[in-house]
Amino acid sequence: MRRFLPRFGFVMMMTALILAVSILVGAVFTTRGAQLVQRVEPGTTGSASLFGDSGQGTLIGSPQLLIIRDEQAFLPGRGPAGSRLVSEQYLREHQLYPLQAKTVGFIRDLLLLGTLGLFVLGAALWWPRRKVAVARAGIR
């Protein structure tokens, strides 16, 4: 049992490091296609002339970093702050649910916090036993 815990702690620490790198790479891979997007409910030309819109439709919310892989969802032109316009109607009809980049970041941070806990637990099992073993070897 004396040799098992330090080895198990070391394995936990190495596993935590590998998981942390994998989580970071996965988050970067997932968010590489994120774009500043403004969702738009396409309107009719009559409502556009009545309300003085630019013809694109009604803007929904504010521009956000979203991950949308379907290029057909994008409308021509640009929205506020240079954001790309996305048809909310197209997203609903095709049951597409865009993923926010900040959601990916939040999940990444939670997973990294968990791997930090795993690393600390492994270090707690490995480090004190290692110091005792080194001290004993030096005495004899």
Side-chain angles (χ1 to χ4, degrees):
M1 189 70 166
R2 284 186 175 173
R3 291 186 179 180
F4 174 74
L5 285 179
R7 288 181 184 170
F8 184 67
F10 183 76
V11 168
M12 285 176 65
M13 289 188 332
M14 293 303 110
T15 303
L17 288 176
I18 292 169
L19 282 174
V21 169
S22 300
I23 290 166
L24 290 172
V25 168
V28 167
F29 180 75
T30 302
T31 59
R32 76 178 192 276
Q35 302 176 51
L36 186 62
V37 170
Q38 173 67 56
R39 292 172 30 219
V40 176
E41 185 66 50
T44 61
T45 56
S47 68
S49 63
L50 179 63
F51 295 112
D53 291 340
S54 62
Q56 293 293 343
T58 307
L59 302 179
I60 300 173
S62 61
Q64 297 178 7
L65 277 175
L66 296 177
I67 302 165
I68 300 175
R69 305 274 190 229
D70 190 352
E71 284 295 321
Q72 294 177 349
F74 293 102
L75 298 172
R78 294 285 178 167
S83 59
R84 292 190 69 184
L85 300 174
V86 172
S87 171
E88 183 69 19
Q89 181 181 2
Y90 182 86
L91 295 176
R92 268 195 316 265
E93 287 173 358
H94 293 89
Q95 297 181 351
L96 298 173
Y97 304 101
L99 182 61
Q100 289 187 350
K102 68 181 180 180
T103 302
V104 174
F106 178 72
I107 299 298
R108 178 204 61 215
D109 293 345
L110 286 178
L111 291 173
L112 285 176
L113 189 61
T115 58
L116 176 65
L118 183 67
F119 185 85
V120 168
L121 182 62
L125 292 173
W126 177 68
W127 188 254
R129 307 278 193 257
R130 185 174 181 274
K131 286 174 66 175
V132 169
V134 169
R136 285 184 186 164
I139 294 173
R140 294 183 182 180

